[in-house]
C-alpha cells in the first residue's frame, strides 16, 4: 500500500499543477511564420498551428504537418545543459523562477507546465533590450479567452544551470502581479522536471 503521506503529497502536486495550467495556455501562432526548426499544420477550420514538438500534433493532422527548416538568421542551438538546477518554492503557491534571456536579466517567471510556450511581458523584454517592433503577431488562447501577442525569437533562456535556445517566446502582458511571465513547456521539455511538494523543490535535469 502507498503510505498516506505519499498520497497526500501526490494530491497536493496534482492540485498545484491544475492551478498552474489554468493561468494561460498558449496554443496557436499566426499563419506563414518563418521560424527555426518547427512544424506547421492546418486543422479542419483552416487555422494554421505551429509547434516544435511533432508528438503534440493530433494524429489526424500529423501527416499534413510540414517541417519548417531553420532560418539562415536563426542563432545556433545551445549545447545541452550539463548541470542540475534546483528551485525552491512554497508548496501551494506558484513556482517563481529567476531567469535570464539572451544572457541578461533577471526576469521573474512562473513555472507553468500548462503553458505551451514561454511568455514574457513586453515591458520586461524592453527592459532587457529585446525589441518587439515588427515582430509577427500571435493568437493566444487560454481559459479566460483569446488575446494577441508578438512572437520573438531569442538566443537563450536560462534558469540556473538550465539553459535552452534558440526559442520562440510570446511577448504578452498577462497582468501577472508577481511575475514578468510564464516559463512554458518549450523550455521545460528539454529537461526532466521533478516537482517535490513535500520538500518544496523543483529539480531540472538535462535529458
Amino acid at each position: 500500500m502507498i503510505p498516506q503521506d505519499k498520497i497526500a503529497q501526490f494530491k497536493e502536486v496534482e492540485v498545484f499543477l491544475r492551478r498552474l495550467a489554468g493561468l494561460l495556455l498558449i496554443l496557436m501562432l499566426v499563419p506563414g511564420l518563418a521560424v527555426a526548426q518547427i512544424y506547421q499544420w492546418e486543422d479542419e477550420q483552416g487555422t494554421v498551428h505551429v509547434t516544435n514538438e511533432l508528438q503534440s500534433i493530433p494524429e489526424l493532422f500529423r501527416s499534413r504537418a510540414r517541417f519548417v527548416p531553420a532560418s539562415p538568421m536563426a542563432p545556433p542551438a545551445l549545447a545541452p545543459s550539463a548541470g542540475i538546477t534546483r528551485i525552491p518554492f512554497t508548496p501551494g503557491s506558484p513556482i517563481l523562477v529567476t531567469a535570464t534571456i539572451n544572457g541578461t536579466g533577471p526576469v521573474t517567471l512562473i513555472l507553468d507546465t500548462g503553458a505551451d510556450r514561454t511568455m514574457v511581458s513586453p515591458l520586461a523584454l524592453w527592459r532587457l533590450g529585446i525589441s518587439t517592433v515588427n515582430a509577427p503577431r500571435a493568437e493566444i488562447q487560454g481559459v479566460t479567452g483569446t488575446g494577441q501577442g508578438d512572437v520573438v525569437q531569442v538566443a537563450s533562456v536560462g534558469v540556473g544551470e538550465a539553459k535552452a535556445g534558440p526559442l520562440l517566446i510570446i511577448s504578452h502582458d498577462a497582468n501577472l502581479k508577481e511575475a514578468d511571465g510564464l516559463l512554458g513547456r518549450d523550455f521545460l521539455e528539454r529537461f526532466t522536471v521533478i516537482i517535490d511538494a513535500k520538500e518544496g523543490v523543483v529539480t531540472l535535469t538535462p535529458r
Side-chain angles (χ1 to χ4, degrees):
M1 294 181 62
I2 301 176
Q4 289 298 316
D5 61 334
K6 289 293 184 182
I7 294 176
Q9 179 181 343
F10 293 152
K11 289 183 177 180
E12 185 175 0
V13 171
E14 181 181 8
V15 171
F16 176 67
L17 292 178
R18 286 180 179 177
R19 178 181 176 186
L20 285 182
L23 285 174
L24 184 67
L25 182 60
I26 301 172
L27 296 178
M28 295 187 297
L29 301 182
V30 292
L33 182 61
V35 295
Q37 298 182 341
I38 61 172
Y39 296 93
Q40 181 173 299
W41 58 280
E42 185 174 325
D43 63 21
E44 294 174 329
Q45 285 73 44
T47 301
V48 177
H49 302 254
V50 178
T51 180
N52 58 353
E53 185 179 354
L54 183 62
Q55 297 303 316
S56 68
I57 302 174
E59 189 172 351
L60 177 63
F61 305 105
R62 200 168 296 165
S63 62
R64 309 180 193 178
R66 180 174 68 87
F67 179 73
V68 182
S71 166
M73 300 301 293
L78 295 179
S81 300
I84 297 175
T85 297
R86 293 180 174 83
I87 306 165
F89 71 96
T90 301
S93 299
I95 301 174
L96 300 178
V97 303
T98 300
T100 60
I101 301 176
N102 291 350
T104 61
V107 293
T108 300
L109 303 177
I110 298 175
L111 188 152
D112 188 353
T113 58
D116 184 55
R117 289 191 177 274
T118 295
M119 182 196 70
V120 183
S121 72
L123 182 60
L125 290 176
W126 279 83
R127 191 172 69 238
L128 301 181
I130 301 173
S131 175
T132 60
V133 174
N134 298 324
R137 297 293 288 168
E139 179 178 321
I140 303 169
Q141 288 190 344
V143 294
T144 58
T146 62
Q148 294 291 318
D150 296 311
V151 182
V152 180
Q153 181 167 272
V154 298
S156 66
V157 174
V159 178
E161 296 293 322
K163 293 181 175 61
L167 291 176
L168 292 170
I169 66 174
I170 304 298
S171 172
H172 176 72
D173 188 357
N175 196 27
L176 302 173
K177 296 181 179 180
E178 52 195 345
D180 299 304
L182 304 174
L183 186 67
R185 291 198 306 268
D186 54 343
F187 177 89
L188 298 173
E189 68 185 8
R190 317 292 179 92
F191 306 90
T192 297
V193 182
I194 299 177
I195 301 177
D196 189 332
K198 183 177 181 181
E199 297 296 328
V201 174
V202 176
T203 302
L204 303 179
T205 305
R207 289 188 173 182

